[in-house]
Amino acid sequence: MRTERNIYSFLRKNHLTIVSLLLALFSLHLALTGKREFERGYLLKELFSYTLAPAGRVALGAENAVKDVWSGYIALMGVKDDNAALTKTVLALRDENNRLKEEIRLNERLRALVDYKDSLPYYTTGAAIIGFNMERWTRTIVIDKGAESGMMRDRAVIAPQGIVGRTLDVQGRTSRVLLATDLRSNIDVIVERTRVKGVVEGNGTDGLILKYVRQVDDVQVGDRIMTSGLSGVFPKGLIAGEVVKIEKGGDNFFKHIEVRPSVDIGKIEEVLVLREDTFHN
Amino acid sequence: MREFLVFLPLTIAYFALKSTLFAGFPLPDIPLIIVFYMAYRRAALEGVLSAFAFGYLDDAFSGGIIGTTSFALVIIFLAVHQLSKLVQFTTPAIRAAGILAAALVKGALMYYVLTVTNVDVYFLSRVFLDAIVTGLLAPAVIALLQKLNAFAAPHKFKDSEN
């Protein structure tokens, strides 16, 4: 009886520490076993696809609204009344002009994307980027196409300049794309000039590392790196990047090669996702 | 539960902004500051559950490995809770220093977990930058949290919160 009371007293006194440690262990379990899961966190992620995407659009819309208020109202303060209407007209025309210019740029981008899409021997789906996550060790983007548009996990995401990444999580209306520059990304590649094989991995910032190339292999700065088609996600022949630096590796067996990605993720707004039946084409 | 519900919209708004308008910018780590605030002020079961939930949300929003951030935040909650028995986080300078240290610990814990999961992590520069930004802005964020908390709290004649 006394022992039970002691145990109860101990648990009551240290419940916070015990719960904390249990939750920490549970988190660790999730992290250590979560690399291959596909359903874990499904409900939350599905919820986010319905809340974050609109929130993202609202946030981007708010930015435009603030800009509109700034250019349409605050900039007009102090202008004489008889000039107000004229100034307003000029501003409206300028806004219209900017909007049209933006539409032309969008049209050019989409035309280039469509031309590229038509030139590909694969079935693809176009998608717009609606979110970026450039964390310490994570490089992902969110696109506006999800399961409702036929998206699936582990599909290649590309742009006219080259590979972007692969789909990581697919929700109803959005998908998260693991960029090639993420630390978790591994892509089988070959050096275009010499056909030397290797694997490019993300360095967690905005670069790639070409691994498993031996000291005796012929690779030079400026060589183009292309997908080998061996990974099963990326078809053969897509451009991954260009060699920018070669050093002797620490193990004296492999070279340490830095590769600049062909796609500057900060400068693209639309991507193509290869569809499931890509390799049957 | 009330505090969690008060801080949850703030955290979600933070995650939404971080992945849209401020992608790539070094922003203060709001979930970490909230966890720190809940831990030193009045550590309760709600706090540790909030730490886990905010960490889980962070991982889910950022596309990281689920469990990494929640592990770090829960450990930090426990550590700050224990530390608050010895140190009074009453002045902005002490809070800033405490949160800077917590941000570094969070970076180190996440680095450890990612290394164990065979993710080839080999740089820490961003951790220091984020820790400094978070530490510098922490007093202002804590003041905001206190206002939010007071706004949502039932009115009392004497409020002993610090």
Side-chain angles (χ1 to χ4, degrees), chain A residues 172-200:
Chain A
R173 295 178 183 179
T174 60
S175 301
R176 187 174 296 281
V177 176
L178 185 77
L179 297 180
T181 50
D182 188 285
L183 289 164
R184 291 167 286 174
S185 171
N186 296 287
I187 302 167
D188 282 297
V189 292
I190 51 172
V191 178
E192 186 183 33
R193 185 175 57 85
T194 57
R195 319 310 285 178
V196 170
K197 290 185 177 59
V199 174
V200 285

Side-chain angles (χ1 to χ4, degrees), chain B residues 4-29:
Chain B
F4 175 72
L5 291 176
V6 170
F7 297 147
L8 184 63
L10 177 71
T11 311
I12 290 178
Y14 165 76
F15 288 138
L17 287 173
K18 194 172 71 165
S19 62
T20 51
L21 299 184
F22 300 105
F25 282 83
L27 291 178
D29 192 336

Side-chain angles (χ1 to χ4, degrees), chain B residues 61-100:
Chain B
F61 265 93
S62 67
I65 295 173
I66 297 284
T68 317
T69 311
S70 50
F71 170 73
L73 287 184
V74 168
I75 293 291
I76 285 169
F77 180 89
L78 189 58
V80 173
H81 166 54
Q82 296 298 334
L83 197 63
S84 66
K85 293 172 184 171
L86 305 171
V87 182
Q88 296 295 313
F89 293 98
T90 47
T91 66
I94 294 176
R95 286 173 186 166
I99 287 175
L100 191 145

Side-chain angles (χ1 to χ4, degrees), chain A residues 35 44 132 137 176 184 211, chain B residues 19 56 61 63 117 120-121:
Chain A
K35 289 182 77 181
L44 266 177
F132 293 85
W137 296 298
R176 187 174 296 281
R184 291 167 286 174
K211 290 191 166 181
Chain B
S19 62
Y56 195 101
F61 265 93
T117 55
D120 199 4
V121 183

Side-chain angles (χ1 to χ4, degrees), chain A residues 96-166:
Chain A
E96 180 75 4
N97 195 24
N98 286 337
R99 192 180 62 76
L100 288 172
K101 279 181 182 171
E102 188 57 34
E103 294 224 344
I104 288 170
R105 281 193 283 268
L106 175 67
N107 196 16
E108 284 171 354
R109 284 203 314 272
L110 291 178
R111 188 176 295 166
L113 201 65
V114 168
D115 287 346
Y116 178 65
K117 183 179 176 177
D118 290 344
S119 72
L120 289 171
Y122 323 115
Y123 295 121
T124 57
T125 302
I129 299 171
I130 58 170
F132 293 85
N133 281 296
M134 304 299 171
E135 303 289 316
R136 291 171 198 140
W137 296 298
T138 309
R139 287 287 186 279
T140 61
I141 56 171
V142 181
I143 56 174
D144 68 345
K145 293 280 165 55
E148 289 176 10
S149 306
M151 294 289 117
M152 295 179 78
R153 189 185 160 102
D154 284 332
R155 296 287 164 241
V157 181
I158 60 175
Q161 298 87 346
I163 58 170
V164 174
R166 65 178 169 85

Side-chain angles (χ1 to χ4, degrees), chain A residues 77-95:
Chain A
M77 283 175 69
V79 178
K80 289 179 182 176
D81 290 343
D82 55 346
N83 287 329
L86 191 58
T87 308
K88 202 172 177 181
T89 307
V90 170
L91 285 174
L93 286 171
R94 195 176 292 163
D95 282 349

